Amino acid sequence: MKLNSTAFALLLSSSVAIVPAMAQNRPAPSLSAAPVVTDAPGSGIQSGVSGHSAVLPVLYQLDQQPIEQISPLVQRQYLVGAQSTFVKWIVKKGGVFPLHHHANEQITWITEGRCEVSSQGRKFIMTAGTVMVIPPNTPHEFVCTEDTIDIDFFSPQRQDWIDGVPSIAASSK
């Protein structure tokens, strides 16, 4: 089936709603107007892709994402894409993510603070600017020894959170 440009634009704009980023079915408002999103005719178009299968990106302001109180010392904000989950953890000194594992690869970036991570008989000290890649199904635990901001990226997406399963941090009250 060949689409004219009007039919394609309609299909493309309706496709964005098919796989929205979300957090507990309450996504932050997407940013879709000027000055952060404007028309750029001819830009960002790749022949053979853009004409039939590309979906527009969705822009969010993370600070507008709902904040969940996971435990007295741990809060999170997250967005879920089609294949991954992005989360910002706000952790007070003493916050703990007890020993656990999950099927997701986890990339952790500490942007503020300090955490001690234990895994496989080793202790890793993470401070602002350090990044750790945790392979799928690798046991690990975090103890934040200072107030910490932790940015995590999970792939595939955290289906357990989408399904309403509490974070492991909720078990460490």
Side-chain angles (χ1 to χ4, degrees), residues 37-97:
V37 179
T38 59
D39 287 336
S43 296
I45 296 174
Q46 205 171 26
S47 64
V49 175
S50 294
H52 65 85
S53 63
V55 176
L56 286 174
V58 181
L59 183 63
Y60 291 92
Q61 181 66 44
L62 183 62
D63 289 342
Q64 292 179 6
Q65 188 64 27
I67 297 174
E68 294 179 272
Q69 192 72 47
I70 303 300
S71 76
L73 300 177
V74 178
Q75 297 177 323
R76 77 174 171 197
Q77 296 170 288
Y78 75 95
L79 291 165
V80 177
Q83 298 180 25
S84 58
T85 298
F86 178 89
V87 61
K88 176 183 177 184
W89 298 101
I90 303 121
V91 187
K92 294 291 184 192
K93 179 180 179 176
V96 174
F97 297 79

Side-chain angles (χ1 to χ4, degrees), residues 22-26 68 76 78 80-81 85 104 156-167:
M22 67 179 115
Q24 312 77 36
N25 296 320
R26 302 170 306 173
E68 294 179 272
R76 77 174 171 197
Y78 75 95
V80 177
T85 298
N104 320 80
Q157 62 184 214
R158 291 297 303 254
Q159 188 62 47
D160 54 339
W161 295 353
I162 294 168
D163 293 341
V165 175
S167 163

Side-chain angles (χ1 to χ4, degrees), residues 66-148:
I67 297 174
E68 294 179 272
Q69 192 72 47
I70 303 300
S71 76
L73 300 177
V74 178
Q75 297 177 323
R76 77 174 171 197
Q77 296 170 288
Y78 75 95
L79 291 165
V80 177
Q83 298 180 25
S84 58
T85 298
F86 178 89
V87 61
K88 176 183 177 184
W89 298 101
I90 303 121
V91 187
K92 294 291 184 192
K93 179 180 179 176
V96 174
F97 297 79
L99 187 62
H100 66 286
H101 72 280
H102 38 72
N104 320 80
E105 178 178 60
Q106 176 178 342
I107 300 175
T108 296
W109 172 31
I110 302 299
T111 61
E112 294 178 26
R114 182 180 186 277
C115 293
E116 296 178 357
V117 182
S118 296
S119 180
Q120 309 295 80
R122 298 279 180 115
K123 180 164 80 172
F124 303 84
I125 306 299
M126 294 192 74
T127 57
T130 58
V131 175
M132 176 178 281
V133 178
I134 303 171
N137 296 309
T138 300
H140 57 284
E141 64 184 325
F142 281 70
V143 176
C144 295
T145 56
E146 296 177 7
D147 289 354
T148 300

